[in-house]
Amino acid sequence: MDAVHWDETTAVFCVGEQQAADASQADPSAYEALRRPDARKSFLGLQVELGGVPAERVRSLVGEAWRQQAPKRLVAEHDRHSSA
């Protein structure tokens, strides 16, 4: 994946920068760590070629991205309900 593109074959997940770097290094055909195209070059997320990863991995990334972005109290509430 050489370019940022959004369609039904890819998704971008807001995960940690190190996790994105590790995934893109392990399998560059399925993952790419994205940076904003502006002058800051700040980290954006992990672009995933959906056809190149198992469905369980996509579900895991959805959960991880939610945990990164959700308010801490919602994450704690979710964890309480999940462990009950």
Side-chain angles (χ1 to χ4, degrees), residues 8-76:
E8 66 278 355
T9 66
T10 62
V12 177
F13 296 94
C14 296
V15 299
E17 188 170 1
Q18 186 59 53
Q19 180 183 359
D22 293 345
S24 61
Q25 184 176 19
D27 188 354
S29 67
Y31 303 102
E32 182 178 1
L34 296 180
R35 298 197 168 278
R36 296 185 190 278
D38 61 15
R40 296 174 306 193
K41 301 286 186 192
S42 59
F43 177 69
L44 180 62
L46 177 65
Q47 181 170 294
V48 179
E49 187 69 40
L50 297 172
V53 298
E56 183 56 38
R57 176 66 174 137
V58 173
R59 279 190 287 279
S60 173
L61 286 166
V62 168
E64 292 170 33
W66 178 80
R67 290 176 99 54
Q68 287 278 333
Q69 299 299 310
K72 290 185 186 342
R73 69 173 176 76
L74 287 180
V75 174

